[in-house]
Amino acid sequence: MLYRKLTNWTNLAQTKGLLFFVQRLDELTFPYSLDSYKASTTGIITLVDEALELLNDPHIVSGNFGAVKHVLDELGLRLKGNFVAKKVFNFDIDSVLSGNLEGNITATIRKLKVFRSEMDPETYLGEITHLVISHDQEKPKKSQLELLAREFASLLQYLGVSRDHINDALIKAFYGETEIRDTTSFRGFCKVVYPHSHKFRVGITASKSINDVSFDVLRSNGILPYPHIKDDFDEDDKTFVEALECYKNISDGELLICHVSAPDANAAATMATKRITEAISFQKLFHHKLEVNIASTAVTEQSCCAEDIRTVPAFNNHMHFIRDMKALKAISAAKRCHEELSLDIGPDARKFANIVNMHGVSLSSTSNDIQIVNLWTCIETLVPSEQTASKISNAVKRVSPILALGYYKRKRWPGVTL
């Protein structure tokens, strides 16, 4: 865990539980935390939404219930021991989890919709906040606070709040200059990270080739080149224009302005980058050789209820935050693999080369979706096929022991690389 100074925690006897919660939330949202320690990207509400989407798929009619059953099994595991969720919903969800799915799809969909309406995200977030504040601080129960921290982080991300914003707000609220004497300090933090929808103007530069993208395509994605709207700014926009001009002077390329609604500045910059990328990808349907580079930082202005102008990362390649070998150790491992394994010769040589190339593509891409698809393709290609199981089941069965070994190794021998 990252070391933080506790000089502003002046009443630890009455804030033991809150301190544990804050420290765990810090670990869940810190960029360089191991993935097994980070907040889950899926939660109860996410799983219900996914189950409903699968049940409404036309292929379900043909009896393909495998994927739905896996989702419902995961939902059952998430609900088991979740004392927070049980305070929010009254519906008998066990009738769905243990019922006959094949018997009546319509009834299952109806029941899940009722459960989903009871598991309102804002109500769930309010219940978590209340339980953190009212928790026994003198004799805190770490298992309960652990669950509260995980659900709090996952739910905020589900509602669109960026992980970076949660962590930045946490550091300012609990490790800054504000004195922490009791659990009411948590209320102020919640107000900052609460998923309000704010209006942002985002300025971000792209290489000159962005001019080869149709203006109509850019405009339909809420993107406008700065020269086209520069004269439309008035006196009230003076500070934002000055920030844009300063940013433009230190960034090469064409400045673009994007209007988005988001909970925080980090999410707004990410959303703007995504829109620009989608516009470029659409143009590539007709101009295959088009190459546009987008800046790694952006200027954001919260233009609705606060005059907040800041420079934030435009996107994060999460592959840069993973556990990795040092350069010398990596050279040694590559040499050992090359000398002792024969995957690069013989009948599997071409397959192995494709896996290596796809892995390289996933590392260089900034899109989480592309990274996951490429890594999963690597796994499916690498794992031998079986006649008795599907590709997905076979890949999961073969890879799970390797992932478990890696997790066990990190817990027992954090400094050892297998």
Side-chain angles (χ1 to χ4, degrees), residues 47-66:
L47 292 169
V48 175
D49 290 342
E50 186 175 353
L52 286 169
E53 183 179 351
L54 290 170
L55 286 168
N56 285 301
D57 192 305
H59 293 93
I60 287 293
V61 179
S62 61
N64 184 16
F65 294 98

Side-chain angles (χ1 to χ4, degrees), residues 17-276:
L18 179 63
L19 178 60
F20 178 82
F21 177 90
V22 169
Q23 289 176 330
R24 190 65 187 96
L25 187 61
D26 187 10
E27 190 175 32
L28 287 164
T29 56
F30 185 62
Y32 289 98
S33 291
L34 295 175
D35 285 340
S36 52
Y37 295 139
K38 285 182 180 177
S40 173
T41 54
T42 60
I44 295 172
I45 300 174
T46 314
L47 292 169
V48 175
D49 290 342
E50 186 175 353
L52 286 169
E53 183 179 351
L54 290 170
L55 286 168
N56 285 301
D57 192 305
H59 293 93
I60 287 293
V61 179
S62 61
N64 184 16
F65 294 98
V68 183
K69 288 181 177 179
H70 285 307
V71 174
L72 292 179
D73 287 344
E74 180 68 20
L75 177 61
L77 290 173
R78 293 296 180 91
L79 288 171
K80 186 178 181 181
N82 190 327
F83 65 95
V84 192
K86 291 176 181 177
K87 290 178 178 289
V88 177
F89 71 87
N90 295 312
F91 182 76
D92 182 18
I93 189 62
D94 292 333
S95 63
V96 177
L97 300 177
S98 59
N100 182 14
L101 183 62
E102 296 87 341
N104 195 336
I105 299 176
T106 305
T108 302
I109 293 175
R110 185 175 65 253
K111 290 178 180 179
L112 282 174
K113 285 182 176 179
V114 173
F115 177 71
R116 175 64 178 81
S117 65
E118 290 190 354
M119 281 299 299
D120 176 66
E122 294 186 357
T123 304
Y124 193 26
L125 188 62
E127 186 63 34
I128 294 173
T129 304
H130 169 71
L131 290 173
V132 172
I133 293 174
S134 60
H135 194 84
D136 186 354
Q137 297 299 311
E138 294 184 357
K139 297 180 180 179
K141 296 181 179 179
K142 291 186 177 181
S143 59
Q144 292 185 4
L145 291 169
E146 164 76 15
L147 175 64
L148 289 170
R150 283 187 174 276
E151 291 297 299
F152 186 79
S154 295
L155 190 57
L156 284 178
Q157 290 179 88
Y158 169 80
L159 293 169
V161 183
S162 67
R163 186 180 291 169
D164 291 336
H165 176 63
I166 299 172
N167 195 259
D168 291 343
L170 180 143
I171 294 171
K172 291 178 182 178
F174 298 107
Y175 300 111
E177 298 178 356
T178 305
E179 185 181 12
I180 310 298
R181 291 192 54 81
D182 51 44
T183 57
T184 56
S185 303
F186 185 63
R187 295 184 188 276
F189 167 70
C190 290
K191 290 179 181 179
V192 176
V193 298
Y194 190 84
H196 298 287
S197 181
H198 299 290
K199 293 181 179 179
F200 285 90
R201 291 188 292 189
V202 181
I204 184 170
T205 56
S207 55
K208 297 286 185 180
S209 52
I210 192 68
N211 293 318
D212 295 330
V213 178
S214 167
F215 178 79
D216 292 330
V217 172
L218 290 173
R219 184 171 57 184
S220 65
N221 282 275
I223 308 158
L224 292 172
Y226 180 61
H228 285 71
I229 60 172
K230 183 177 181 180
D231 296 334
D232 296 336
F233 291 110
D234 53 30
E235 188 64 25
D236 293 336
D237 301 315
K238 182 180 179 180
T239 306
F240 181 55
V241 171
E242 290 176 352
L244 288 175
E245 292 292 344
C246 181
Y247 169 74
K248 184 182 177 183
N249 291 335
I250 61 174
S251 302
D252 295 328
E254 297 292 332
L255 179 59
L256 305 173
I257 306 297
C258 188
H259 294 261
V260 298
S261 295
D264 59 84
N266 297 83
T270 302
M271 193 177 299
T273 305
K274 183 179 180 181
R275 287 190 184 181
I276 297 171

